[in-house]
Amino acid sequence: MNNIHNSLNNEVSNDVNSPILTPLMTGISSPDPLKFAFTVKSAPHAGRGGSHPLNLTPQQWQTWWTSPTSATQRALYIHLPFCRKRCSFCNFFENGSNPARIIHYVDELSKQLYIASKTPFVQSGQFDTVYVGGGTPTDMQASEIAIIGEAIQAFPLAKDAEITLEGRINGFTHAKFDAALSSGFNRFSFGVQSFNTQVRLAAGRFDDRETLIERLQELSEHPSATIVADLIFGLPGQTMEIWQQDLQDVIQSCVHGVDLYQLIGLQGTRLSHQAEKQATNKQKQQTLAPAVDSQTRASMYAAGASLLESSNWQRLSSCHWRRDNREGSIYNSLAKSGIEILPFGAGAGGNIHGHGIMNARDLSHWHQAQSQVTDTSIATDTLPSQVPGMIMSPNPSAALDSQFKAGLDSGVLALANFDTELVSHLMPLFSAWQTHGLVKISGKIMTQTLAGRFWNVNLQTGLFAYLKQNPFESCAS
């Protein structure tokens, strides 16, 4: 099948009047599109770009915080870049969970949050959702969790704002749970990945199966806290039988929501380093079991979707299901729709006034930025002083791209919501997807099949590649 993809990686049509279509955009014809429409998931996320880096002076950056927002929906993202252990599949590890470093970081971060919360920019619109991610935020002590939670409360939050704390079950004590609840957190997302003790050990995870199930059941009994678990399919040593037990276990755990994520061969992980060494014969013996192939991962995804939906779990996106209405997954859904997201902390990303923002990842650089006095003519205790590591120009197609991404991620794209000429321009691509068993088009609605949902990111990537190769020019422009 790989040879088929390689041989077809060229234009489908050479007619100058026909749009450029390639298998990387359309997938290929196959009796089993779930397994073979594409060779592998193209990337964790899809995007078209269209922006370029900007150099803002500290003075220019500070003026942003005096201008009111034009966004109708907003979020906060707060990053805690600390982990006690690096998992085999992770390329996000940044800093070990040294207690002294964490408390110093939390102290500086909370100061920045309080300063930002008072600005005209922040106060000009409410926030629908907050996500504290990492890293492993639950590696904070109970008092530190409370400090961050209380700083969040200084922002103008919507009455029913979803406030998520991400982390792991290991080390998440009763004291930490109580501190989080008391300071405003109402949703907790735990990276379980697999319940199988041996798979977890190989992946570098803490705790055994029984401990995880018992603790998740206990947390899920709380009358108002929403508990969510992440599972990964395709981990080394994770057979189909183990994966099916993982699915049964997550249902047994009584969590309110679950994400099913496909393992992706990201660069910089222990798994990728092993594969590189074996490919160059620098490592004779395999130290970690190999990850399962794409076709098996496709079958695992199908098994997960089937079991959850037959158990009356509602699918909210291509990878997220909920047991009941307590789970809203507000941050994830709104983030994909392109709302304004204010990022805080080293390595945090978001967007402000339509500009993409990425804070510097290096912890020492981040701390140094907090201590700089950037403009003696402005009261630095009332405006944020840190200039992000990267600021991007506004993407002219951001709103349209987000509309596509949100629709495709949900599994249903309402074509009536788009310009008629644009839909006609895209119809050769959509028709190819339908021919290849990835979508079904009925009137003004395009619905993804199970295969289309599994290859969702590839479809998004293909759509943006199609628009790049076949630019759309409206007759009205």
Side-chain angles (χ1 to χ4, degrees):
M1 188 59 65
N2 285 348
N3 290 333
I4 295 177
H5 274 277
N6 292 336
S7 65
L8 290 179
N9 190 16
N10 50 34
E11 295 180 15
V12 171
S13 173
N14 292 320
D15 187 337
V16 294
N17 295 317
S18 298
I20 298 173
L21 287 167
T22 73
L24 294 180
M25 303 174 190
T26 66
I28 65 169
S29 178
S30 164
D32 191 349
L34 175 68
K35 294 181 179 179
F36 299 110
F38 297 91
T39 54
V40 69
K41 185 176 180 180
S42 56
H45 308 286
R48 178 162 34 159
S51 301
H52 60 272
L54 298 177
N55 291 317
L56 257 65
T57 66
Q59 292 81 4
Q60 290 173 318
W61 168 245
Q62 288 179 335
T63 61
W64 282 18
W65 296 85
T66 64
S67 304
T69 183
S70 60
T72 56
Q73 291 181 299
R74 309 169 87 190
L76 298 180
Y77 177 76
I78 300 170
H79 195 62
L80 271 292
F82 302 95
C83 289
R84 277 183 292 150
K85 193 174 183 180
R86 181 171 186 166
C87 300
S88 65
F89 53 83
C90 178
N91 73 339
F92 301 116
F93 183 90
E94 294 166 5
N95 306 284
S97 295
N98 178 285
R101 286 201 295 178
I102 293 179
I103 187 58
H104 180 42
Y105 180 84
V106 167
D107 181 58
E108 292 294 324
L109 180 59
S110 63
K111 288 178 182 177
Q112 188 186 58
L113 289 168
Y114 278 116
I115 290 172
S117 71
K118 300 174 184 177
T119 62
F121 170 59
V122 166
Q123 290 294 324
S124 63
Q126 69 180 13
F127 292 82
D128 302 277
T129 180
V130 182
Y131 197 95
V132 180
T136 312
T138 55
D139 279 355
M140 289 187 288
Q141 297 301 310
S143 58
E144 295 160 354
I145 292 174
I147 288 171
I148 296 301
E150 290 163 5
I152 290 169
Q153 295 302 314
F155 284 74
L157 303 174
K159 183 178 180 180
D160 56 350
E162 174 194 88
I163 306 176
T164 300
L165 182 69
E166 184 183 62
R168 69 172 99 226
I169 287 295
N170 185 269
F172 190 63
T173 62
H174 293 291
K176 290 183 180 183
F177 191 38
D178 291 342
L181 292 170
S182 298
S183 60
F185 289 99
N186 53 28
R187 184 176 182 270
F188 301 84
S189 179
F190 296 105
V192 173
Q193 321 315 359
S194 174
F195 286 90
N196 184 271
T197 302
Q198 295 306 312
V199 171
R200 292 177 57 78
L201 182 64
R205 305 296 291 178
F206 298 103
D207 291 328
D208 58 21
R209 172 177 176 267
E210 291 72 21
T211 300
L212 286 170
I213 294 175
E214 181 180 352
R215 183 62 171 143
L216 285 171
Q217 287 174 336
E218 184 180 22
L219 294 170
S220 298
E221 289 175 355
H222 191 277
S224 60
T226 300
I227 309 300
V228 179
D230 292 346
L231 295 180
I232 294 179
F233 55 94
L235 290 166
Q238 187 185 42
T239 64
M240 178 62 80
E241 182 180 4
I242 289 174
W243 172 242
Q244 289 173 333
Q245 186 60 55
D246 282 336
L247 296 166
Q248 294 286 354
D249 288 346
V250 82
I251 292 175
Q252 181 186 342
S253 74
C254 297
V255 296
H256 307 103
V258 62
D259 288 291
L260 306 185
Y261 291 126
Q262 178 182 177
L263 179 70
I264 304 176
L266 299 174
Q267 294 297 312
T269 67
R270 284 170 51 206
L271 290 175
S272 69
H273 288 157
Q274 175 182 273
E276 290 166 4
K277 288 179 180 179
Q278 285 194 284
T280 57
N281 295 319
K282 292 181 180 179
Q283 183 173 301
K284 299 291 185 181
Q285 189 173 3
Q286 189 161 280
T287 57
L288 295 169
V292 302
D293 60 30
S294 181
Q295 289 72 42
T296 304
R297 295 199 299 272
S299 296
M300 287 176 158
Y301 176 80
S306 175
L307 179 60
L308 290 170
E309 289 164 25
S310 66
S311 302
N312 297 318
W313 285 56
Q314 179 188 5
R315 180 175 58 82
L316 297 182
S317 74
S318 61
C319 64
H320 189 73
W321 287 258
R322 67 178 178 184
R323 177 166 61 91
D324 55 41
N325 291 337
R326 184 185 299 191
E327 162 63 336
S329 192
I330 296 173
Y331 181 87
N332 290 333
S333 61
L334 290 183
K336 291 167 185 172
S337 68
I339 67 167
E340 185 168 71
I341 301 176
L342 277 62
F344 294 92
N351 62 85
I352 294 177
H353 293 307
H355 294 74
I357 303 292
M358 179 60 69
N359 294 339
R361 291 188 177 275
D362 185 89
L363 203 56
S364 61
H365 291 168
W366 183 85
H367 279 293
Q368 184 180 11
Q370 308 317 303
S371 63
Q372 290 176 347
V373 177
T374 58
D375 187 351
T376 56
S377 67
I378 298 177
T380 55
D381 61 343
T382 59
L383 292 171
S385 62
Q386 180 198 20
V387 178
M390 181 177 291
I391 300 176
M392 304 297 292
S393 66
N395 177 3
S397 63
L400 178 62
D401 292 358
S402 294
Q403 193 176 0
F404 278 128
K405 290 171 70 173
L408 289 172
D409 189 70
S410 72
V412 178
L413 197 64
L415 302 181
N417 293 338
F418 297 89
D419 181 272
T420 303
E421 295 175 5
L422 175 59
V423 173
S424 297
H425 181 75
L426 289 167
M427 196 51 67
L429 175 66
F430 294 163
S431 297
W433 285 352
Q434 180 167 249
T435 299
H436 296 157
L438 298 166
V439 303
K440 292 181 180 179
I441 303 173
S442 177
K444 295 293 185 178
I445 299 294
M446 184 172 72
T447 305
Q448 288 165 274
T449 63
L450 177 68
R453 296 200 300 269
F454 176 71
W455 295 113
N456 171 54
V457 174
N458 293 67
L459 297 189
Q460 294 182 38
T461 302
L463 186 149
F464 295 140
Y466 180 90
L467 288 172
K468 183 176 181 179
Q469 293 293 321
N470 307 279
F472 171 68
E473 295 183 6
S474 171
C475 293
S477 62

